Amino acid sequence: MSDTNQSSMAVLIDYENLALGTGKRRRNGHQDPGPRPDVKRILERLVDKGRITAKRAYCDWQRFEDAITPLHELGIELIEIPDRAYTGKNSADIRLAVDAMEMCLTKDHIDTFAILSGDSDFSPLVAKLKEFGKTVIGVGTKEATSTLLAENCDEFIFYEDIVKTGGIPDYAAKVPKEKHECYQLLFETIDALQGESDSAVLASRLKDTMRRKRPQFSERSFGYRSFSNLLREASKLGFITIHQDPKSGTVMVDGFCE
């Protein structure tokens, strides 16, 4: 599957909600920020679903200064939101919603919106985007996600499910160290794509998705003449099962070996 057949996605991040969701709730009901959310892992999960063409994060960045550089490095546009003590309202929610509708109405190529928040206040926005024919994916923490919002989205992914480890083969003992990066990317992508569908994954789609995760990826950098050779090696080592489509001759990945 080529990129031309993939969704074009805008990712809009309510950073405060995401950060507070990783923290712990105090006895007075307030939430303290937890470890800095792994936004890179979230984006890597979202590119399994399409090409990301816009990335914006909304917050009073004076409260989360340690996040500024990592988010800039991910190419995310940071939108400064005044402290609600001055505005009397959550301006981040309002600005995010306004930007989403502006994109919806003026950027026809964007057909999917990923809203990184668990705030129920975004439920009307989700409904309106769907009314305009857009697909809406939500991402939020289990602690801070409203059931109303999650049920209104076309799909909702919990942050904890994105960052949890395990589920892919342990390749360290069988694969040379210089190829570990390649195998990690390969297996993470297979795992994510098969989480979307139980059907076999086309090799070309698998490679396209890996290159959206890591634009610099090339199997030749790891000593393989072709991507199919990489898949065949992984199969011979007992990590994955593959077959060749009888009509097209294309290699298909069935999944991980039991």
Side-chain angles (χ1 to χ4, degrees):
M1 183 181 295
S2 66
D3 283 346
T4 57
N5 295 323
Q6 293 291 314
S7 296
S8 182
M9 183 187 306
V11 178
L12 305 177
I13 307 169
D14 177 6
Y15 191 83
E16 181 177 354
N17 179 272
L18 203 60
L20 292 177
T22 64
K24 295 182 179 180
R25 190 174 297 278
R26 300 199 301 256
R27 289 184 178 180
N28 61 7
H30 293 293
Q31 194 88 357
D32 286 324
R36 188 171 67 231
D38 194 341
V39 177
K40 181 178 179 181
R41 293 281 294 276
I42 297 174
L43 295 178
E44 288 178 346
R45 176 63 182 274
L46 290 174
V47 298
D48 297 330
K49 302 176 181 297
R51 186 166 59 96
I52 298 174
T53 56
K55 295 174 286 188
R56 296 179 185 175
Y58 304 79
C59 193
D60 173 10
W61 294 109
Q62 291 183 357
R63 296 187 58 201
F64 298 95
E65 291 183 345
D66 65 327
I68 293 176
T69 297
L71 293 176
H72 273 310
E73 290 174 347
L74 294 173
I76 297 173
E77 180 183 359
L78 304 187
I79 309 298
E80 179 68 38
I81 302 298
D83 190 316
R84 72 175 67 193
Y86 296 105
T87 63
K89 56 180 70 70
N90 190 348
S91 301
D93 292 6
I94 298 171
R95 178 64 187 275
L96 189 155
V98 169
D99 282 0
M101 289 309 303
E102 183 268 335
M103 290 182 185
C104 175
L105 295 172
T106 64
K107 302 184 186 302
D108 293 339
H109 64 284
I110 295 178
D111 55 18
T112 302
F113 286 81
I115 308 295
L116 274 57
S117 178
D119 193 337
S120 62
D121 288 349
F122 288 116
S123 298
L125 170 64
V126 170
K128 184 59 67 173
L129 290 171
K130 291 170 67 175
E131 185 178 322
F132 278 93
K134 307 300 183 181
T135 298
V136 183
I137 301 170
V139 178
T141 63
K142 294 178 180 179
E143 179 69 24
T145 292
S146 158
T147 301
L148 177 63
L149 176 67
E151 291 181 349
N152 275 329
C153 292
D154 292 293
E155 179 181 0
F156 198 92
I157 308 170
F158 285 113
Y159 173 77
E160 292 84 353
D161 294 334
I162 294 175
V163 299
K164 69 180 180 182
T165 58
I168 65 174
D170 182 3
Y171 53 82
K174 293 184 178 181
V175 176
K177 188 174 181 179
E178 60 270 18
K179 294 184 178 182
H180 283 189
E181 179 185 355
C182 177
Y183 269 79
Q184 181 71 23
L185 177 60
L186 173 66
F187 291 164
E188 286 180 350
T189 307
I190 292 173
D191 186 49
L193 289 176
Q194 294 218 305
E196 305 297 319
S197 171
D198 292 332
S199 59
V201 179
L202 195 66
S204 59
R205 183 188 179 197
L206 179 57
K207 182 176 178 179
D208 284 347
T209 305
M210 290 172 65
R211 295 192 72 172
R212 286 200 301 272
K213 289 174 180 281
R214 300 280 193 279
Q216 72 275 23
F217 170 76
S218 170
E219 65 276 3
R220 290 180 178 271
S221 299
F222 298 96
Y224 302 101
R225 293 184 60 187
S226 69
F227 189 67
S228 295
N229 287 347
L230 166 60
L231 296 179
R232 291 189 179 98
E233 179 184 273
S235 177
K236 288 180 180 178
L237 290 173
F239 295 129
I240 61 174
T241 59
I242 62 176
H243 73 274
Q244 196 163 10
D245 183 76
K247 293 183 178 179
S248 65
T250 303
V251 174
M252 307 283 289
V253 178
D254 301 307
F256 296 121
C257 296
E258 296 294 335

